[in-house]
Amino acid sequence: GENVEQHPSTLSVQEGDSAVIKCTYSDSASNYFPWYKQELGKRPQLIIDIRSNVGEKKDQRIAVTLNKTAKHFSLHITETQPEDSAVYFCAASRDNQGGKLIFGQGTELSVKP
Amino acid sequence: DTGVSQNPRHKITKRGQNVTFRCDPISEHNRLYWYRQTLGQGPEFLTYFQNEAQLEKSRLLSDRFSAERPKGSFSTLEIQRTEQGDSAMYLCASRVPGELFFGEGSRLTVL
């Protein structure tokens, strides 16, 4: 069945360092890959997404890369700040127009000042 | 507030009781999703609607769970004969092409 694996489950970095979170997916028909940030007690919120027709997308300190052949994608956060501390979820979907998202297990990122 | 609205935000019930959650999506969003999230896990897909049609239901959704979206606007998720394993956060989300917008969730505790 459809599955998304996410690693690591926890990640601790010093402020200013980079953080990388990796995901692999099983459904080769997946073509839309968003990343969500969830702060404690709050709703998940989209931070960046990528579609299968591109290999990389950047938005200020955040970038996502996609390798369709290997079926994996990664989130890169540069110059981390304490407010980046949260749980990050990757997800995959067959249909960027409205199909269901399958989420990874999450990565708890802690940025130490 | 023009976001996705869910209520109640918290529900404590005894095992065996029925509970119902309501979700009001963003008004122009025709797709509505229900997810379940337990501590330390990602949101787990339950079901989704396009307008009033239920398009997909997870195999994880037992017969005790039913969801409706009768007029293509708000949706309800009912859990009958609750079990302790049903304790979780139930998240509703709505979408037009692109971003999925989540509500704050309804936290269920089954004693």
Side-chain angles (χ1 to χ4, degrees):
Chain A
E2 301 142 323
N3 189 45
V4 176
E5 295 286 333
Q6 183 173 346
H7 299 281
S9 56
T10 61
L11 180 58
S12 182
V13 299
Q14 289 295 132
E15 184 176 0
D17 287 351
S18 295
V20 180
I21 302 170
K22 298 183 179 183
C23 289
T24 58
Y25 59 97
S26 61
D27 184 357
S28 56
S30 296
N31 59 15
Y32 174 64
F33 308 92
W35 286 87
Y36 281 78
K37 177 183 180 182
Q38 187 174 30
E39 295 175 349
L40 192 62
K42 297 198 172 177
R43 72 186 83 191
Q45 291 192 294
L46 180 74
I47 54 170
I48 194 168
D49 58 14
I50 191 168
R51 288 165 173 80
S52 60
N53 56 345
V54 298
E56 184 172 356
K57 183 176 177 181
K58 211 170 179 181
D59 182 4
Q60 299 182 340
R61 298 185 297 109
I62 294 173
V64 57
T65 58
L66 170 65
N67 183 329
K68 281 218 79 179
T69 304
K71 291 193 285 187
H72 67 69
F73 56 114
S74 301
L75 177 71
H76 304 251
I77 306 174
T78 58
E79 299 168 28
T80 53
Q81 300 165 3
E83 51 265 37
D84 294 330
S85 296
V87 180
Y88 291 80
F89 295 100
C90 61
S93 170
R94 282 187 173 191
D95 171 13
N96 65 359
Q97 299 299 307
K100 68 185 182 194
L101 294 182
I102 302 299
F103 284 84
Q105 300 89 338
T107 296
E108 184 175 1
L109 174 64
S110 174
V111 180
K112 299 185 187 307
Chain B
D1 185 356
T2 56
V4 178
S5 175
Q6 292 188 246
N7 65 82
R9 295 290 310 280
H10 302 274
K11 178 73 176 177
I12 300 173
T13 191
K14 290 184 180 177
R15 192 176 52 182
Q17 299 293 305
N18 299 344
V19 297
T20 299
F21 300 116
R22 176 179 168 128
C23 172
D24 288 89
I26 295 171
S27 59
E28 63 269 25
H29 288 187
N30 59 3
R31 293 216 177 188
L32 184 150
Y33 302 76
W34 285 99
Y35 282 84
R36 176 170 63 193
Q37 188 176 28
T38 53
L39 198 63
Q41 298 296 315
E44 185 178 48
F45 171 77
L46 295 178
T47 188
Y48 85 99
F49 294 84
Q50 177 164 311
N51 301 314
E52 64 275 9
Q54 190 171 18
L55 294 188
E56 189 171 347
K57 226 173 131 171
S58 167
R59 289 189 298 272
L60 300 169
L61 216 61
S62 75
D63 291 345
R64 298 184 296 105
F65 288 71
S66 61
E68 292 183 342
R69 195 181 182 198
K71 296 181 182 177
S73 56
F74 73 91
S75 175
T76 58
L77 176 69
E78 181 183 17
I79 309 173
Q80 296 183 324
R81 305 182 303 282
T82 51
E83 301 172 356
Q84 287 184 323
D86 297 332
S87 296
M89 177 73 84
Y90 290 85
L91 291 166
C92 176
S94 69
R95 190 180 189 188
V96 289
E99 182 175 351
L100 194 65
F101 290 85
F102 283 93
E104 296 284 5
S106 294
R107 181 170 294 285
L108 174 65
T109 301
V110 181
L111 302 176

